[in-house]
Amino acid sequence: MARAYNFSAGPAILPEEVLKQAQAELLDFNGTGMSIMEMSHRGKDYSAVHQEAKDNLKKLLNIPDNYSVLFMTGGASTQFSLIPMNLLGEGQTADYITAGAWSSKAIKAAKKLGISVNELANTAKDVPTRVPGNDLEFTPGAAYVHICSNETISGAQVKEFPKTDAPLIADMSSDILSRPLDVSQFGMIYAGAQKNLAPAGVTLVIIRNDLAEKSPDTLPELFQYKHFMENDSLSNTIPTFPVYMIMLVTRWLLEKGGLEGVQKMNEEKAAKLYAAIDASDFYNGTAVPEFRSPMNVTFRLPTEDLEAQFVKEAAAKGMTSLKGHRSVGGIRASIYNAFPAAGVDALIEFMKEFEAANA
Ligand SMILES: *Cc1c(COP(=O)(O)O)cnc(C)c1O
């Protein structure tokens, strides 16, 4: 059976080479006669995997020495609560930039804890979709500023991060490792694995050590960044298989020329697809052009019926999961790092045929 061109927003496509490697090692990892998922998270085989996953991430992102790479659980959504619980001291406040569904959830989780947070801007309801510009008034003394780098649902991406005095914290779940990044601009970066990194089950957190130190001792240990930092994320049983997959995916990225190489591939794929949208009056991009995401390409057809027909006919041709998120409708083509250029070409070809038959 042929592999589908899988446009799913997440859990999402993984590199075929990586899946084959995982398959080859599934029954016998490193001559142990066991799968990586069947062995101790404290043994030497898993330890080497854990270390390589961290080392590869450090290499790809040039992570400075005063940052820690943590592997946590509960998805990016759990971070929405853990961030204020760990980083907001007594009587402190934080700034939030809201640009879509995910950053809306982040501020909502913070408010739920009963803390006063400042929403500096909110473009979540804007159509066409966009992220706020950088004309923001930060709150003096704020403990941190929270932003989402890529709104997965609307398809709008932050192109230039705001300069802040307070530590900038970014939810990069849907564009982590898709472009080079200056980690020193951030106090913390986090991402659920299932879009651009690995299967679901692990959450990557890259945090400046002095911030991790702020975790209050009154928090349960497994909610504390400090505890994860001090125990190298191994205080309890870690999701070993997802971390192993991060190791393989980051190895694959290093082989592809690191983040510069990957960004080039991503930009080529996205540019082609957006050009096809712009070349036609039948398709309409959902995001403001200057904020268009190279990861989640969102667009509309003239009617919802045509959109449903488009999704159905594309699926029959092996192009799956093109339906936009239920909250916004339309079409969403998620073309993460692992999505092949040939799949983008196939979609463009289909878009032309569909328009010719239905315009
Ligand atoms: C998918 C996604 C999340 C939620 O991730 P979970 O791991 O399901 O909690 C949060 N933020 C962004 C930007 C996402 O794309």
Side-chain angles (χ1 to χ4, degrees), residues 74-78 80 102 148 150-152 171 173-174 192 194-195:
S77 303
T78 297
F80 297 163
W102 290 115
C148 175
N150 185 69
E151 286 287 353
T152 321
D171 175 0
S173 294
S174 53
Q194 67 275 19
K195 278 119 188 186

Side-chain angles (χ1 to χ4, degrees), residues 54-70:
K54 289 195 303 176
D55 289 346
N56 291 351
L57 286 162
K58 284 183 187 165
K59 257 185 237 159
L60 284 165
L61 287 163
N62 279 316
I63 300 175
D65 287 343
N66 59 326
Y67 286 73
S68 295
V69 175
L70 313 179

Side-chain angles (χ1 to χ4, degrees), residues 6 10 30-31 45 58 90 95 107 117 122 129 133 136 140 155 175 177 205 239 282 302 315 318 336 346:
N6 174 7
N30 256 353
D45 291 284
K58 284 183 187 165
E90 191 69 21
D95 286 345
I107 189 169
V117 291
N122 187 334
T129 58
L136 304 163
D175 67 352
L177 303 185
V205 173
F282 187 73
Y336 297 116

Side-chain angles (χ1 to χ4, degrees), residues 9-307:
I13 192 166
L14 287 161
E16 192 168 319
E17 297 96 309
V18 164
L19 290 173
K20 285 191 170 142
Q21 172 88 24
Q23 182 181 44
E25 298 178 331
L26 195 66
L27 299 184
D28 179 9
F29 180 75
N30 256 353
T32 56
M34 288 183 272
S35 158
I36 186 75
M37 64 179 112
E38 297 173 299
M39 58 179 74
S40 169
H41 59 296
R42 305 197 188 281
K44 82 172 180 7
D45 291 284
Y46 176 74
S47 294
V49 166
H50 191 87
Q51 193 58 45
E52 189 189 329
K54 289 195 303 176
D55 289 346
N56 291 351
L57 286 162
K58 284 183 187 165
K59 257 185 237 159
L60 284 165
L61 287 163
N62 279 316
I63 300 175
D65 287 343
N66 59 326
Y67 286 73
S68 295
V69 175
L70 313 179
F71 299 124
M72 301 182 74
T73 55
S77 303
T78 297
Q79 297 299 320
F80 297 163
S81 306
L82 293 185
I83 291 163
M85 286 161 78
N86 277 273
L87 303 179
L88 265 188
E90 191 69 21
Q92 279 192 309
T93 185
D95 286 345
Y96 278 75
I97 300 166
T98 307
W102 290 115
S103 43
S104 298
K105 287 195 181 188
I107 189 169
K108 197 169 153 209
K111 284 181 176 163
K112 201 149 189 240
L113 294 167
I115 53 178
S116 86
V117 291
N118 318 298
E119 189 168 65
L120 301 184
N122 187 334
T123 56
K125 297 251 148 51
D126 287 20
V127 180
T129 58
R130 56 187 284 264
V131 297
N134 284 342
D135 49 340
L136 304 163
E137 281 208 35
F138 299 103
T139 309
Y144 60 83
V145 179
H146 183 276
I147 194 168
C148 175
S149 60
N150 185 69
E151 286 287 353
T152 321
I153 291 174
S154 69
Q157 187 190 47
V158 176
K159 301 296 175 184
E160 203 181 313
F161 289 94
K163 301 259 177 299
T164 59
D165 290 333
L168 185 62
I169 298 184
D171 175 0
M172 295 197 183
S173 294
S174 53
D175 67 352
I176 186 88
L177 303 185
S178 69
R179 54 180 171 174
L181 203 64
D182 174 8
V183 173
S184 71
Q185 272 186 285
F186 301 89
M188 171 177 154
I189 292 165
Y190 65 101
Q194 67 275 19
K195 278 119 188 186
N196 230 353
L197 281 175
V202 68
T203 311
L204 171 66
V205 173
I206 301 166
I207 186 167
R208 225 173 56 206
N209 296 344
D210 62 297
L211 287 177
E213 291 289 348
K214 287 187 191 295
S215 301
D217 288 328
T218 48
L219 272 186
E221 282 185 335
L222 289 172
F223 294 1
Q224 294 177 15
Y225 296 130
K226 185 169 65 182
H227 186 75
F228 274 78
M229 177 173 75
E230 288 172 355
N231 292 280
D232 193 13
S233 309
L234 289 162
S235 151
N236 74 327
T237 314
I238 187 166
T240 49
F241 189 75
V243 174
Y244 158 76
M245 291 296 284
I246 290 184
M247 177 195 79
L248 291 183
V249 167
T250 49
R251 237 188 228 173
W252 177 81
L253 288 169
L254 287 164
E255 282 160 15
K256 294 276 170 201
L259 300 188
E260 274 88 12
V262 168
Q263 181 182 40
K264 190 160 169 284
M265 295 191 311
N266 286 334
E267 282 180 352
E268 283 168 9
K269 286 184 288 180
K272 263 199 230 172
L273 189 45
Y274 283 118
I277 292 167
D278 289 341
S280 124
D281 292 330
F282 187 73
Y283 301 107
N284 265 302
T286 309
V288 173
E290 66 178 299
F291 297 120
R292 282 173 166 175
S293 167
M295 299 280 97
N296 309 100
V297 178
T298 50
F299 55 98
R300 309 274 343 211
L301 274 63
T303 67
E304 287 184 12
D305 284 348
L306 281 168
E307 287 168 350

